[in-house]
Amino acid sequence: MHILVITPTIFSLLMIFFIHRTQSAGICPSFSCNHPRKYFPIHFPFRVPRNQSKRCGYPRFDLSCSSDRETCLRLPSSPSEPLVIKEIDYADQIVWVSDPNGCVPKRVMNLNLTGSPYMSGPYSVEYTLLSCSGPVDPTQLPAGSSVVRCLSEQDFTAVLTFEKEAEEKLVNLKGQCHVTKRVVAPLWWRGLAYGVYPMDMSDVLIQLRWELPGCGDCVVRGGSCGFIGDSGLDVGCFLLGGNGLSPSYIPGLPRSAKYGLILGAGMPGLLFMIGLSFYLSSRVRAYNQSRNHANAESSSTITPQPIILTLGLDDPTIESYPKTVLGESKRLPKLSDGTCPICLSEYQPKETLRAIPDCNHYFHVECIDEWLRMNATCPLCRNSPQKSSENGS
Ligand SMILES: *[C@@H]1O[C@H](CO)[C@@H](O)[C@H](O)[C@H]1NC(C)=O
Ligand SMILES: *[C@@H]1O[C@H](CO)[C@@H](O)[C@H](O)[C@H]1NC(C)=O
């Protein structure tokens, strides 16, 4: 029992040892561009340099607010053309962006993530861009394809299709479209998971993800990521302290809160399991000891009796009982109804039956042999054939 008391004590000591309380220095209040329809907080690793101090965000994660209060992300490859952030998933470290000019297919074609902390992901969608001469009636397009106005020119219409079949239809039947580009892009739209194609390409978003700094685990635990200390790029996970006033951080691996997870949940869990297994094994040992003791005592006074199981008949005895192969007529003496009382299946021509000599009851040979090996009585009348055969011999 004492182990169970000691474990939480060790756990508390460890927590005190590993977790230092700090001032709220590492945490910046979250910010927002306050878009009237789409609110999401901007916090570490993101930062709006204009409104937040330098230590509020990780390098290269700078964002800005547009005049119409959209949150903008600029890639180093095209700083003059910002992307608009539509959603940030801090736990999975994914950001959904769209093109402010509403031409995601164009942006995704020239997506150059060099120099940015982002990569494509996590899903990829394949589609084909076609160029069709002259105007195209959007209502006449096959399923899974749509007109892309922003890529169309006066003399051709750009058509995008997610369906190979639709692509073939467009090329073969119309005779006026040809494939310009096959694209694999990190696109996302509502309904993607259900295999529903976007009605309008302006509903489609580009999905980007980032790996470093890895704050996903921290966010999942309800913590906030931030820099540890006033300089350097070491990142820690700030969890709300016991009194709810000061955040605490778990120093450890700089960029990942995984270590914190191990300390926070793994170590006490492990210690608890060790304690529990010690406790249980000591209980089992004590139980076995007391049982052995009792057995030793009882064996000195009572001679153990061998357990006698109700035994069936041996194979030679069973084999000595008459067998009959059923003919086409299935006629047998005393075969009241046409089913075997053991397996309840109907007797079929050519099946072998066995009879119990004393009562002349018939059964399938497989069924009665199995039965007689375990029971020395007729399953119907409970006569014991063994007794009679012993009497007879
Ligand atoms: C952000 O900073 C700019 C310029 O300093 C200021 O005009 C703007 O109001 C600030 N935005 C918020 C939401 O504080
Ligand atoms: C991507 O952008 C970088 C500069 O940011 C440039 O050096 C590189 O050539 C570009 N890559 C492509 C494929 O355009």
Side-chain angles (χ1 to χ4, degrees), residues 41 44 50 52 73 89 91 97-98 106 137 162 265-266 272 286 315 323 336 338 350:
F44 195 88
R50 228 176 129 156
Q52 292 180 290
L73 183 157
D89 182 337
V97 296
S98 87
K106 189 176 178 181
D137 181 0
F162 294 99
F272 178 74
D315 282 355
K323 277 198 289 193
S336 46
K350 304 266 166 19

Side-chain angles (χ1 to χ4, degrees), residues 190-369:
R190 258 168 241 293
L192 171 65
Y194 308 103
V196 178
Y197 296 114
M199 293 298 287
D200 185 345
M201 281 310 287
S202 61
D203 298 335
V204 174
L205 302 177
I206 303 170
Q207 249 183 342
L208 303 175
R209 72 190 165 90
W210 72 93
E211 265 177 6
L212 295 178
C215 289
D217 290 341
C218 178
V219 173
V220 169
R221 294 181 68 205
S224 304
C225 238
F227 284 124
I228 300 169
D230 295 331
S231 60
L233 294 180
D234 283 355
V235 171
C237 183
F238 292 72
L239 296 159
L240 222 54
N243 56 9
L245 291 176
S246 58
S248 48
Y249 72 85
I250 301 166
L253 294 182
R255 287 177 197 87
S256 173
K258 280 187 179 125
Y259 188 52
L261 201 69
I262 292 165
L263 286 177
M267 283 287 269
L270 192 69
L271 282 167
F272 178 74
M273 290 311 285
I274 292 169
L276 193 67
S277 62
F278 262 114
Y279 172 67
L280 286 178
S281 67
S282 69
R283 283 301 294 260
V284 167
R285 230 180 289 125
Y287 175 70
N288 281 346
Q289 269 171 9
S290 66
R291 225 171 63 141
N292 286 346
H293 193 63
N295 280 353
E297 267 182 355
S298 63
S299 64
S300 66
T301 51
I302 307 156
T303 318
Q305 294 291 312
I307 299 157
I308 300 160
L309 298 164
T310 20
L311 295 170
L313 302 176
D314 55 7
D315 282 355
T317 311
I318 295 169
E319 273 308 315
S320 70
Y321 294 167
K323 277 198 289 193
T324 313
V325 178
L326 275 181
E328 291 295 332
S329 65
K330 298 197 274 179
R331 260 190 297 120
L332 272 174
K334 281 193 100 178
L335 196 68
S336 46
D337 64 348
T339 55
C340 169
I342 300 175
C343 64
L344 302 176
S345 68
E346 209 172 317
Y347 295 127
Q348 299 298 326
K350 304 266 166 19
E351 278 183 332
T352 308
L353 309 190
R354 196 190 292 284
I356 291 177
D358 294 303
C359 51
N360 233 8
H361 284 132
Y362 283 84
F363 310 93
H364 279 129
V365 67
E366 320 84 69
C367 303
I368 191 63
D369 287 7

